[in-house]
Amino acid sequence: MAQFRLSQRSLARLDGVHPVLVEVVKSAILRTNVDFTVVEGLRTPERQRELVAEGKSQTQNGLHLRQADGYGHAVDLAPLIGGAIPWDDWAKFKDLADVVKACAAKVGVPVEWGGDWKTLKDGPHFQLQRGWKAAA
């Protein structure tokens, strides 16, 4: 298995994301067979409104926004093939999702993948289960 690492840009995009979700992403980069990038982490309300207006999100209450605990509970990840994101290759997103979900299960964190949704399938999207709270 190739050993990948998160770029400085990907690490910067994890700023403000819940630490347990960051841990899952950092674990996944060490276990994946395909490199990936962090596309987006914590969003501003303005950015969320833009995405809703563009039809790329369906809610103003997304988990990319800062939650009550002060962190974003969602992250968008995309595989990199030859340095580019294969937006039309669903299998690559599914392969990445399998690794991320396995890493989350290993640490007992309930992560949902947007590719499993019934409507508006979102291959890059991973989120902590809505309403989840870290153990005190």
Side-chain angles (χ1 to χ4, degrees):
M1 178 184 312
Q3 189 76 24
F4 299 107
R5 64 188 183 113
L6 293 171
S7 68
Q8 288 300 315
R9 182 171 61 180
S10 285
L11 290 169
R13 290 176 176 170
L14 290 172
D15 189 40
V17 173
H18 196 287
V20 298
L21 190 51
V22 171
E23 178 185 344
V24 168
V25 172
K26 287 181 175 180
S27 177
I29 196 69
L30 299 175
R31 294 189 57 192
T32 184
N33 288 321
V34 176
D35 197 8
F36 67 84
T37 186
V38 177
V39 177
E40 196 164 28
L42 182 66
R43 290 184 187 150
T44 64
E46 295 76 23
R47 173 74 175 139
Q48 187 67 27
R49 279 193 290 279
E50 287 174 17
L51 292 171
V52 170
E54 294 170 6
K56 295 178 181 174
S57 182
Q58 293 183 330
T59 180
Q60 296 287 24
N61 190 27
L63 293 178
H64 278 280
L65 298 170
R66 194 171 306 277
Q67 301 299 299
D69 61 8
Y71 297 105
H73 286 199
V75 65
D76 291 341
L77 308 175
L80 291 172
I81 307 299
I85 298 172
W87 292 111
D88 295 329
D89 190 346
W90 188 258
K92 298 293 186 212
F93 285 88
K94 170 76 169 78
D95 291 345
L96 175 56
D98 290 343
V99 173
V100 172
K101 290 192 284 186
C103 290
K106 187 173 182 176
V107 294
V109 176
V111 170
E112 299 172 346
W113 177 45
D116 290 332
W117 294 343
K118 301 294 183 229
T119 60
L120 189 68
K121 290 193 176 281
D122 190 350
H125 186 82
F126 297 88
Q127 67 182 33
L128 296 171
Q129 189 176 59
R130 195 172 284 281
W132 175 85
K133 290 181 180 39

